[in-house]
Amino acid sequence: MEQTKKHTGFWWLVFLASTAALIFAIYSHWEWLTLILPFQTTSFVKAMNIM
């Protein structure tokens, strides 16, 4: 079987941006900070090529 290289750079950028947003939300005491978690976890899984 042939394995193709998947480009995961976009998903790493989304993960880093959502991590920065989560850190900012924690620092600023934003009450809806849990809305960032689906973006962070999904982008991490896609960047690690698990899904």
Side-chain angles (χ1 to χ4, degrees):
M1 293 189 114
E2 236 179 89
Q3 290 189 353
T4 59
K5 182 180 179 203
K6 295 186 180 182
H7 302 285
T8 59
F10 171 75
W11 292 111
W12 281 115
L13 288 175
V14 173
F15 172 70
L16 293 175
S18 60
T19 301
L22 183 65
I23 291 170
F24 177 74
I26 291 170
Y27 177 74
S28 66
H29 300 289
W30 188 44
E31 58 271 2
W32 292 349
L33 66 95
T34 55
L35 292 176
I36 300 170
L37 291 176
F39 293 101
Q40 187 180 27
T41 54
T42 302
S43 62
F44 181 71
V45 168
K46 295 286 256 180
M48 292 295 289
N49 203 11
I50 296 171
M51 190 166 78

